[in-house]
Amino acid sequence: MGGGFAPGGAPQKRIAVFCVGNKLMLDEGIGPAVYDELTATYDIPDEVTLFDVGCMGLDMLPHVRDYDYLVTVDAVDGTGSKPGTIFEFEPDDMARRSGAMQSLHDLKLVDLFDAAALMGYAAEGRCFGMQVENMNPLDLTIGLTPSVYEALPMLVDTVLADLTRSGAVIRVKATGEVVGPGWHHVMSPDTSETSV
């Protein structure tokens, strides 16, 4: 892994990025799609760890202890917004509410934080979600619907911007260029067939 954190003498913030979802269920695979784009295109510094977690469970609990900042990337539904719309929120913003902006998965980041707090662990967190179009295909289907696929680069940009705001120095593998303000992700050629 390349990169590192910006100098300044402050302790390095350890960051975990949980890319949540099932890539066999169309748009529910938005988290794994972000994971694939980040790992294929960028050198991620050692202080940032990316996880393709499937459905998030309590087995993620040790990460609240081991990391200072947790990012979740997930599909959301019931927002009333068009598919491909991106949401950014604090874990408590989507906590304990039903319907709109609820994670499609049983365990939300706030639940993980609640469980961790009972054990004396604490971390900050940020959630990024994208409104889905179809996460219940009749058959198992790898890929994303066109509207969600087209918005994927913007979701990758959103995650990259949050990581760089947190002090991570992320470089493009192909060029060594540092990702900074105004950066726009370009899709990897090997994922062009994933849109259904």
Side-chain angles (χ1 to χ4, degrees):
M1 300 252 177
F5 273 72
Q12 293 179 336
K13 184 187 286 190
R14 297 201 65 222
I15 302 172
V17 181
F18 298 144
C19 298
V20 183
N22 181 348
K23 57 173 73 173
L24 298 177
M25 300 293 288
L26 277 179
D27 291 344
E28 191 180 332
I30 192 67
V34 168
Y35 174 90
D36 291 344
E37 289 298 311
L38 290 173
T39 56
T41 309
Y42 302 98
D43 280 326
I44 305 297
D46 293 338
E47 296 81 5
V48 178
T49 307
L50 304 176
F51 296 91
D52 184 351
V53 300
C55 290
M56 195 158 61
L58 285 176
D59 57 333
M60 297 285 105
L61 195 55
H63 299 305
V64 183
R65 177 193 63 211
D66 297 338
Y67 292 87
D68 305 303
Y69 186 69
L70 306 179
V71 175
T72 302
V73 183
D74 199 357
V76 294
D77 202 5
T79 66
S81 298
K82 67 179 186 176
T85 301
I86 296 170
F87 296 91
E88 177 179 349
F89 37 88
E90 302 279 349
D92 283 340
D93 290 346
M94 67 180 286
R96 303 174 241 297
R97 67 160 87 182
S98 58
M101 280 189 11
Q102 188 171 28
S103 168
L104 300 176
H105 301 101
D106 292 338
L107 184 75
K108 297 184 285 292
L109 186 57
V110 70
D111 299 324
L112 193 64
F113 282 0
D114 285 348
L118 292 173
M119 301 178 71
Y121 305 153
E124 297 176 46
R126 202 84 185 133
C127 303
F128 298 101
M130 182 180 285
Q131 171 63 49
V132 297
E133 181 175 335
N134 183 348
M135 52 140 226
N136 292 307
L138 295 176
D139 299 307
L140 294 180
T141 308
I142 296 176
L144 302 171
T145 57
S147 54
V148 170
Y149 180 80
E150 287 169 17
L152 181 58
M154 190 167 30
L155 183 55
V156 173
D157 285 345
T158 302
V159 174
L160 288 170
D162 190 62
L163 293 175
T164 57
R165 271 195 309 267
S166 299
V169 177
I170 298 171
R171 297 180 185 275
V172 181
K173 285 182 179 180
T175 65
E177 180 182 2
V178 174
V179 173
W183 178 259
H184 294 293
H185 176 71
V186 176
M187 296 293 281
S188 303
D190 61 345
T191 59
S192 60
E193 76 277 5
T194 58
S195 181
V196 192

